[in-house]
Amino acid sequence: MKYVRIFFAIALAFMFFSAFTLKNVDKPVYASGVAASFNDSVVYCTEIQVLDSIELDKTGFLPKRDLYAYQLKTYLEYDLQKPDYTCMIYFSDNKKKLEKEASKVKSKYKKGSGLLLQVVDPAAFAFKKAQE
């Protein structure tokens, strides 16, 4: 009985201390953006990009995700002179899931009557770490 108590005490201590030493392995976060307008037949989309030094929060959401969508909107307004676009951002820490979601979104826009899907040049636009 004495050995059983010692064993459980050691096992409990091991679990307690390992909970503090195990850190979330930094998984890269991937993002893709889509911009559409009711006034234009062109839908812009970005390639899947890795976001620099970003972690998803405890609930699995991208912190400050509205600022990433705003980066795409700013690029379209000021660099391409395309105002009045609504920008959406898709993100995941699993690249395969994001590729599947992006292809699903692109196929919906391709099915649309008269919509032209245009990819934003990755050399011209890349998401940057959002700062307020």
Side-chain angles (χ1 to χ4, degrees):
M1 188 69 162
K2 180 178 173 183
Y3 294 114
V4 173
R5 285 186 190 167
I6 293 172
F7 174 73
F8 281 121
I10 291 173
L12 181 64
F14 178 73
M15 289 188 309
F16 179 74
F17 291 120
S18 67
F20 294 110
T21 59
L22 292 177
K23 288 194 173 190
N24 186 7
V25 177
D26 291 335
K27 294 176 85 175
V29 177
Y30 302 97
S32 177
V34 176
S37 175
F38 291 111
N39 299 330
D40 198 355
S41 63
V42 179
V43 176
Y44 292 95
C45 65
T46 66
E47 296 290 328
I48 294 177
Q49 302 174 10
V50 178
L51 298 179
D52 248 1
S53 62
I54 300 293
E55 288 183 18
L56 299 180
D57 62 10
K58 292 178 183 177
T59 58
F61 282 106
L62 179 66
K64 301 177 186 172
R65 61 191 168 277
D66 56 333
L67 297 178
Y68 290 102
Y70 189 70
Q71 287 178 16
L72 181 58
K73 183 171 181 62
T74 303
Y75 169 75
L76 290 173
E77 285 181 357
Y78 294 109
D79 293 353
L80 298 183
Q81 303 297 316
K82 299 288 186 178
D84 302 326
Y85 269 81
T86 303
C87 299
M88 298 151 284
I89 184 148
Y90 296 91
F91 60 91
S92 178
D93 57 357
N94 186 334
K95 190 173 182 179
K96 296 278 187 196
K97 285 183 182 178
L98 186 60
E99 287 172 349
K100 185 176 179 181
E101 182 70 26
S103 67
K104 188 186 305 183
V105 169
K106 289 176 185 178
S107 69
K108 285 183 182 181
Y109 281 116
K110 285 179 184 178
K111 286 181 186 177
S113 59
L115 294 178
L116 176 66
L117 190 65
Q118 185 167 347
V119 178
V120 175
D121 183 22
F125 173 76
F127 292 110
K128 296 172 186 68
K129 185 174 182 178
Q131 298 175 0
E132 289 185 13

